Amino acid sequence: SAVISQKPSRDICQRGTSLTIQCQVDSQVTMMFWYRQQPGQSLTLIATANQGSEATYESGFVIDKFPISRPNLTFSTLTVSNLSPEDSSIYLCSVDTATAFFGQGTRLTVV
Amino acid sequence: AQSVSQHNHHVILSEAASLELGCNYSYGGTVNLFWYVQYPGQHLQLLLKYFSGDPLVKGIKGFEAEFIKSKFSFNLRKPSVQWSDTAEYFCAVTPLDGGYNKLIFGAGTRLAVHP
């Protein structure tokens, strides 16, 4: 099973700034997924990131707000831009729905 | 659109009671099915998964789930819960046809086990 590392594990950010979250996998994977878990809520898929192509965003999520990079088969970043308190959530990276493991998540608090 | 329904949002049990958490999905094709657990303040952990074969799946910590295709259900069970099972439980489904290949989560069930 893949080992997924996310950085940072938590952060407190000011309104209007941006946070970039890194996801590193210990093996090459075709697809990487970014999820959001708002306080007290379930997980919602933000986008799917394939290496070498633009990320595919789910309804309600746009590239300007959540730009994603996928430079190689073991790494991806998610940026949450122009932060507002409503962006306070846990952001999780996942790989390969066959194994469906998640990173430990990044807990973002916007003040 | 595909969806996953977890009927019980909050469940309260005493230790040693039996547990069954319901999960139904709305998709007529082939699916992979998952149950996750999230302990207070901790990250998501995979409890068990079903891809094919025996519809009764055994997972970690004494949990099991049964896939009933005719009912589009994947209920989670444990014969005797412990206080340490207090957590939130999420059912998730991946529709395999149509190129979706993504996890769709239910709303979650909060389980509180009292000693």
Side-chain angles (χ1 to χ4, degrees):
Chain A
S1 59
V3 175
I4 305 169
S5 303
Q6 267 186 249
K7 282 195 246 185
S9 58
R10 58 178 65 228
D11 206 342
I12 301 172
C13 298
Q14 297 288 328
R15 293 179 196 222
T17 64
S18 298
L19 176 70
T20 296
I21 303 167
Q22 299 179 2
C23 180
Q24 179 77 51
V25 189
D26 68 345
S27 57
Q28 293 185 341
V29 293
T30 305
M31 301 174 78
M32 296 179 77
F33 304 87
W34 287 99
Y35 288 82
R36 180 177 73 182
Q37 186 179 22
Q38 293 177 298
Q41 305 283 322
S42 185
L43 280 78
T44 303
L45 181 64
I46 297 171
T48 303
N50 291 335
Q51 193 266 335
S53 63
E54 292 278 331
T56 303
Y57 289 83
E58 297 298 304
S59 176
F61 297 96
V62 295
I63 187 170
D64 289 348
K65 176 68 176 177
F66 299 99
I68 287 172
S69 78
R70 182 78 201 275
N72 58 53
L73 290 172
T74 63
F75 187 79
S76 177
T77 67
L78 168 74
T79 299
V80 189
S81 305
N82 189 23
L83 290 167
S84 68
E86 293 71 36
D87 295 319
S88 298
S89 295
I90 298 173
Y91 293 86
L92 298 108
C93 169
S94 177
V95 302
D96 184 3
T97 52
T99 54
F101 285 99
F102 283 81
Q104 293 199 341
T106 297
R107 185 180 294 272
L108 169 62
T109 303
V110 182
V111 297
Chain B
Q2 294 77 23
S3 65
V4 178
S5 299
Q6 291 183 243
H7 315 294
N8 313 103
H9 296 295
H10 291 92
V11 173
I12 302 172
L13 294 173
S14 298
E15 275 193 317
S18 64
L19 170 72
E20 181 160 3
L21 302 182
C23 174
N24 286 87
Y25 62 93
S26 64
Y27 184 71
T30 307
V31 294
N32 288 343
L33 298 152
F34 306 84
W35 274 99
Y36 290 87
V37 61
Q38 189 170 35
Y39 297 103
Q42 297 194 22
H43 64 280
L44 213 60
Q45 297 178 40
L46 181 66
L47 266 181
L48 49 79
K49 60 188 177 185
Y50 172 81
F51 290 168
S52 63
D54 188 344
L56 185 61
V57 180
K58 294 194 184 298
I60 61 172
K61 307 188 182 194
F63 286 91
E64 65 179 29
E66 183 175 13
F67 172 48
I68 303 179
K69 188 173 182 180
S70 61
K71 295 184 178 180
F72 301 93
S73 70
F74 190 56
N75 292 355
L76 181 71
R77 300 195 292 248
K78 186 170 184 178
S80 176
V81 294
Q82 301 172 318
W83 176 78
S84 57
D85 293 323
T86 295
E88 188 153 19
Y89 293 81
F90 294 96
C91 179
V93 172
T94 297
L96 294 180
D97 311 319
Y100 289 103
N101 197 31
K102 64 184 182 186
L103 279 166
I104 302 167
F105 281 83
T109 298
R110 288 185 187 274
L111 171 66
V113 180
H114 292 170

